[in-house]
Amino acid sequence: GQAQEDDKRGGYIAAGIGSSWFDDDNKLGDRDLDDNDLGWTLFGGYRFFRFFALEAGYTNFGKYKAEGLFSDTEEKFQAFYLAGVGILPLGDSFQFSGKLGGGALQLDQSFSNQPDADDRGSTLLVGAGAQWAPGGLKGVAFNLNLDGYFFTVEQANVDYDQSLALLSIGVQYNF
């Protein structure tokens, strides 16, 4: 009823850590790309009713290194995002969610044989998750999320459809 609906409304904050990976669409050519690292995320939002929340967050994807014959490259990505979250509750303590939004992506590049470079752009965010809220811990929930960030990079008049992803486990506090 209405009491159960009101019980699900409110703000939340969360943090997660996990494995991130980068798909460069072969932009780096035949260089040996180390495309996995440790990533983390911080986010918060407001659940307007049982099935929908609006969320904002920050994700740090770690570092990706590419080694080549004449040059080595290190790339660090981070993103700020805003997303709508659709929620499918399964009982009182478990739920699935889907996330769709957009954000600002920042890339910091370091090269072994030329000046460093930075770049900024927009990104599409698509995600899915599961959450478990044990009954004895009021307001605390544990989550598992997979978030994918999709963007296009242009270099020498060629478009590269790249992506980043973070599979994270985390904790959330609902207030």
Side-chain angles (χ1 to χ4, degrees), residues 8 47 87-97 129-145 168-174:
K8 296 296 180 183
R47 189 166 179 167
I87 302 162
L88 177 61
L90 298 175
D92 289 335
S93 61
F94 192 75
Q95 69 184 29
F96 289 112
S97 61
Q131 186 179 93
W132 173 60
L137 298 174
K138 181 87 172 124
V140 175
F142 301 96
N143 54 43
L144 174 67
N145 292 307
S168 65
I169 57 171
V171 64
Q172 178 172 312
Y173 180 71
N174 303 300

Side-chain angles (χ1 to χ4, degrees), residues 95-110:
Q95 69 184 29
F96 289 112
S97 61
K99 187 183 303 184
L100 181 62
L105 186 69
Q106 179 174 333
L107 164 64
D108 298 321
Q109 290 179 304
S110 302

Side-chain angles (χ1 to χ4, degrees), residues 12 15 21 31 59 65 67 72 84 97 101-102 111 121 128 130 135 171-172:
Y12 60 91
W21 60 95
R31 294 184 193 176
T59 302
K65 296 178 183 176
E67 296 177 356
D72 293 342
S97 61
F111 302 97
V171 64
Q172 178 172 312

Side-chain angles (χ1 to χ4, degrees), residues 39-42 57-62 77-81 147 149 166:
W40 56 273
T41 186
L42 298 173
Y58 168 80
T59 302
N60 184 306
F61 296 95
F77 289 94
Q78 56 186 340
F80 293 92
Y81 72 86
D147 294 331
Y149 296 76
L166 177 66

Side-chain angles (χ1 to χ4, degrees), residues 4-136:
Q4 186 179 20
E5 178 80 16
D6 291 341
D7 191 39
K8 296 296 180 183
R9 291 183 188 166
Y12 60 91
I13 56 173
I17 190 167
S19 179
S20 68
W21 60 95
F22 171 48
D23 177 3
D24 78 328
D25 193 24
N26 206 32
K27 177 180 171 270
L28 296 173
D30 58 359
R31 294 184 193 176
D32 182 24
L33 175 63
D34 176 12
D35 60 356
N36 293 73
D37 201 12
L38 182 68
W40 56 273
T41 186
L42 298 173
F43 57 93
Y46 189 84
R47 189 166 179 167
F48 291 94
F49 59 97
R50 189 169 175 81
F51 302 105
F52 180 77
L54 189 61
E55 184 174 288
Y58 168 80
T59 302
N60 184 306
F61 296 95
K63 299 178 195 173
Y64 305 100
K65 296 178 183 176
E67 296 177 356
L69 188 58
F70 301 107
S71 171
D72 293 342
T73 305
E74 181 178 274
E75 298 188 341
K76 298 181 206 175
F77 289 94
Q78 56 186 340
F80 293 92
Y81 72 86
L82 182 63
V85 181
I87 302 162
L88 177 61
L90 298 175
D92 289 335
S93 61
F94 192 75
Q95 69 184 29
F96 289 112
S97 61
K99 187 183 303 184
L100 181 62
L105 186 69
Q106 179 174 333
L107 164 64
D108 298 321
Q109 290 179 304
S110 302
F111 302 97
S112 61
N113 64 352
Q114 58 185 334
D116 293 353
D118 296 335
D119 197 8
R120 290 181 171 82
S122 59
T123 181
L124 170 69
L125 165 63
V126 178
Q131 186 179 93
W132 173 60

Side-chain angles (χ1 to χ4, degrees), residues 159-171:
D159 287 341
Y160 296 94
D161 295 325
Q162 300 184 337
S163 62
L164 292 156
L166 177 66
L167 177 62
S168 65
I169 57 171
V171 64

